[in-house]
Amino acid sequence: MKQMPTEARTSAEQGNRNLVLQMNKVSKVIKGKTIVDGLTFDIRPGEIVGLLGPNGAGKTTTIRMMTGLIRMSAGDVLINGHSVRSDFLQAISYVGAIIENPEFYPHLSGLDNLKQYIRMTDNISASRLDEVVQLVGLQDAMNKKVKAYSLGMRQRLGIAQALLHSPKLLILDEPTNGLDPAGIREMREYMRRIAEVEGISILISSHMLAEIEQICHRAVVIQNGKLVKVTSISAADESATGEVELSIRVDDVKQASGIVQSMQAAKLTGAEEARSEIYVTLPDLAVPELVAALSEARIGVYRIAEHKQSLEDEFLKWTGGNQIA
């Protein structure tokens, strides 16, 4: 077998250390049926990534392979550079996870439930317990019995437990399932705080596309066990040279259309006299040039709006209109 040169090997290893999660051509075959097929993607430190897919896409199977709940048929998962296949205990030590619903002793307080977990885990200090309780906003509820907790409070207690051992990666399966709008908003704020304050990467499997769009930096879309798309969601991750679609309300549609057509970078995609609007596609960096040209021609500009497809629209396009799981 031909070996990788030492310099290349060193570079690859350094790259691995800069990624919290690497899915490397992971497959799962059950009774001759391929559930997950050569899945490859990664997660960077402090990044929030959504895992999306239609019914039967393989999302739950993927998460179970990441966490060692089921074996991979092929490929490997690296967590903080450690193989789930060959170095499972080290790899899983960097993971906190809530798969389906968090389970607790209902007759015990939130504090006593977390203390039970601490007794089973090495090197968790009292100060760390205080940190995670504050991080998820449960300071005033820790002495209440868990049976009196709302669903949102139990979800937050589950996240606190998953964070106690200071993981590098937090995996959440449907974290807002069953929550009311206020609870969903709270959960979104706490997940952002976890990523920003603790620098922890978060993988969220969810069917709520609007939530994924609001909180995640990227989305990984899978269908029939295969990778369909990895796409940036956060504005901070979008390329400044990407194209934008604009509708511009003006006082002279004909003259404004002529100006757009005279620009090499811009494309006129439509014009409506009745609505006094023109529709333009152009690079983001060319927008100031267009605005300046309209102003120089003394064309009144009343409104500029960007037309951007929602994550739901994009998802349906990528998956051929299948429903979310």
Side-chain angles (χ1 to χ4, degrees), residues 83-205:
S83 166
V84 169
R85 272 185 178 275
S86 61
D87 193 9
F88 175 72
L89 291 179
Q90 187 66 42
I92 206 66
S93 70
Y94 295 108
V95 177
I98 301 178
I99 300 174
E100 296 180 353
N101 297 316
E103 297 293 338
F104 298 103
Y105 297 108
H107 62 285
L108 295 180
S109 68
L111 181 61
D112 286 337
N113 268 280
L114 293 185
K115 285 182 176 179
Q116 287 285 359
Y117 178 80
I118 289 173
R119 291 189 187 104
M120 298 183 290
T121 311
D122 296 331
N123 303 319
I124 297 178
S125 64
S127 62
R128 179 59 182 168
L129 175 58
D130 293 337
E131 284 174 8
V132 299
V133 168
Q134 290 184 24
L135 196 63
V136 300
L138 283 176
Q139 303 95 306
D140 297 330
M142 292 309 293
N143 291 318
K144 294 180 181 177
K145 291 184 178 180
V146 168
K147 65 183 178 182
Y149 277 24
S150 67
L151 177 58
M153 290 169 68
R154 288 198 297 274
Q155 288 283 63
R156 283 152 55 192
L157 186 65
I159 291 175
Q161 178 177 289
L163 294 175
L164 277 170
H165 64 292
S166 301
K168 298 288 186 183
L169 175 66
L170 180 62
I171 300 174
L172 302 175
D173 187 15
E174 302 287 357
T176 59
N177 197 23
L179 298 183
D180 61 20
I184 290 172
R185 184 173 182 176
E186 277 188 354
M187 186 61 63
R188 185 167 65 233
E189 290 172 353
Y190 290 126
M191 285 189 282
R192 282 197 189 116
R193 189 184 303 174
I194 290 164
E196 292 170 4
V197 175
E198 297 263 314
I200 293 172
S201 304
I202 304 177
L203 178 68
I204 303 171
S205 172

Side-chain angles (χ1 to χ4, degrees), residues 240-244 246 263-267 281-288:
T241 59
E243 283 199 335
V244 292
L246 304 177
M263 291 179 61
Q264 189 172 2
K267 180 182 178 183
T281 299
L282 74 171
D284 192 51
L285 293 175
V287 174

Side-chain angles (χ1 to χ4, degrees), residues 11-62:
S11 176
E13 289 167 358
Q14 287 174 345
N16 291 349
R17 285 196 292 269
N18 291 329
L19 294 172
V20 173
L21 173 76
Q22 291 173 278
M23 295 284 290
N24 293 331
K25 299 180 179 178
V26 174
S27 297
K28 180 63 179 179
V29 179
I30 299 176
K31 296 181 179 179
K33 182 180 179 181
T34 301
I35 309 299
V36 175
D37 189 0
L39 194 56
T40 298
F41 65 88
D42 58 55
I43 299 177
R44 301 184 289 261
E47 185 178 36
I48 305 176
V49 174
L51 181 62
L52 307 176
N55 286 324
K59 300 189 302 297
T60 300
T61 301
T62 297

Side-chain angles (χ1 to χ4, degrees), residues 246-248 253 256-257 260-261 267-273 276-281:
L246 304 177
S247 66
I248 306 174
V253 170
S257 298
V260 172
Q261 290 171 327
K267 180 182 178 183
L268 184 70
T269 57
E272 290 187 41
E273 290 278 359
S276 299
E277 285 187 344
I278 60 171
Y279 305 97
V280 185
T281 299

